[in-house]
Amino acid sequence: MLHSNKSFFKHTINLFPENYLNALIKDEMEFTFKKGDLICTPERSNKCFSIIKEGYICNFHIYIDGKECIIGLLSSGDIIGLTNVFLEKQNNVFYRALTEVKVVSISGEKLKALVEQNPLIATSLLNYFSETHHDIIETLEQISYGTVESRLIFLFKKLIDFKQENNGWYPISVSLTHKDIAGMIGSSRETVTTNINKLLKGGIIKRLENIIWIQL
């Protein structure tokens, strides 16, 4: 079982007042997923949503030709599948673990009951959905119109661990293969490798003990 933790709930505490958050997570189970596992599929996402306790997740669409389009990156304290709770039709968003992930799964019906009891929660949800929409549009713009180099920089800045600053340099908080990165920016592994080497030579990023660092 999960107990309230302000560090874990750094994002969700702004969406749900702590007393309501405690009501949501009461008696709910925690699940662990390995890197590469699907966290939530469209077939079951309308029945529940989840709060990420630990780890990193990407959400993506799958085109008819089988190609994936990454539309977001999520980490500890973020929520997955929340939009689907209020959709009458099936969504086509998938979630995959980029690292080992721990999540708490919460009933969608429990959330709907909470919204009916407190209309202010509906306002908070509207703000959350608006911010999520903005982030998705920003990511899609980068994938659609940015160069591979600019897409890499955009991605690395989204993955920064701000707690480990060193003279203006910040490490990427999740370890990704070049294949992972290619899928996240809509490119090929070979092109990603070429552009990462270019960024390294240009001093825009650096690698220490196999961890990429970027300067802001």
Side-chain angles (χ1 to χ4, degrees):
M1 298 295 177
L2 180 72
H3 300 285
S4 180
N5 180 303
K6 288 188 178 181
S7 176
F8 160 36
F9 293 124
K10 57 184 170 64
H11 302 302
T12 51
I13 201 70
N14 295 322
L15 181 57
F16 304 113
E18 190 167 6
N19 57 322
Y20 290 104
L21 183 58
N22 288 334
L24 280 174
I25 65 174
K26 183 179 180 181
D27 300 324
E28 299 292 355
M29 297 297 295
E30 177 182 304
F31 298 92
T32 300
F33 298 89
K34 298 177 181 178
K35 178 179 178 179
D37 285 350
L38 284 178
I39 308 298
C40 193
T41 63
E43 290 76 11
R44 66 181 294 271
S45 59
N46 63 330
K47 298 179 181 179
C48 68
F49 69 99
S50 301
I51 301 175
I52 304 172
K53 181 178 180 182
E54 296 177 10
Y56 289 83
I57 290 172
C58 68
N59 53 335
F60 60 95
H61 287 280
I62 298 181
Y63 291 116
I64 295 176
D65 62 3
K67 291 183 179 179
E68 297 179 5
C69 174
I70 304 296
I71 57 176
L73 300 171
L74 306 170
S75 61
S76 176
D78 285 325
I79 302 171
I80 60 176
L82 183 58
T83 306
N84 301 332
V85 172
F86 300 95
L87 284 176
E88 294 183 359
K89 62 180 181 179
Q90 180 175 298
N91 201 343
N92 62 341
V93 177
F94 294 79
Y95 299 85
R96 178 182 293 121
L98 296 176
T99 63
E100 181 176 288
V101 172
K102 293 182 180 179
V103 304
V104 180
S105 183
I106 301 171
S107 165
E109 293 303 318
K110 183 184 288 189
L111 175 59
K112 290 179 180 178
L114 181 62
V115 172
E116 291 178 359
Q117 295 169 14
N118 189 340
L120 290 178
I121 298 296
T123 301
S124 294
L125 286 170
L126 180 59
N127 290 334
Y128 171 83
F129 293 144
S130 297
E131 292 177 0
T132 301
H133 177 73
H134 178 271
D135 288 343
I136 290 174
I137 294 300
E138 186 180 38
T139 300
L140 290 177
E141 285 178 346
Q142 279 292 324
I143 293 175
S144 299
Y145 303 111
T147 64
V148 173
E149 184 175 323
S150 67
R151 279 180 269 164
L152 283 171
I153 294 172
F154 176 80
L155 173 63
F156 292 155
K157 287 183 177 180
K158 272 188 169 289
L159 295 175
I160 280 176
D161 182 352
F162 287 98
K163 296 179 181 179
Q164 299 189 51
E165 185 270 343
N166 185 355
N167 295 321
W169 287 86
Y170 299 84
I172 306 306
S173 53
V174 57
S175 177
L176 298 169
T177 66
H178 287 192
K179 182 179 179 181
D180 291 332
I181 295 171
M184 296 171 72
I185 66 169
S187 184
S188 67
R189 180 182 59 79
E190 294 78 9
T191 302
V192 164
T193 298
T194 298
N195 280 269
I196 284 180
N197 289 336
K198 182 180 178 181
L199 292 174
L200 287 167
K201 290 180 181 178
I204 298 175
I205 63 173
K206 63 182 179 181
R207 184 179 281 124
L208 298 174
E209 296 181 355
N210 208 34
I211 296 176
I212 290 176
W213 290 65
I214 189 166
Q215 194 172 33
L216 294 184

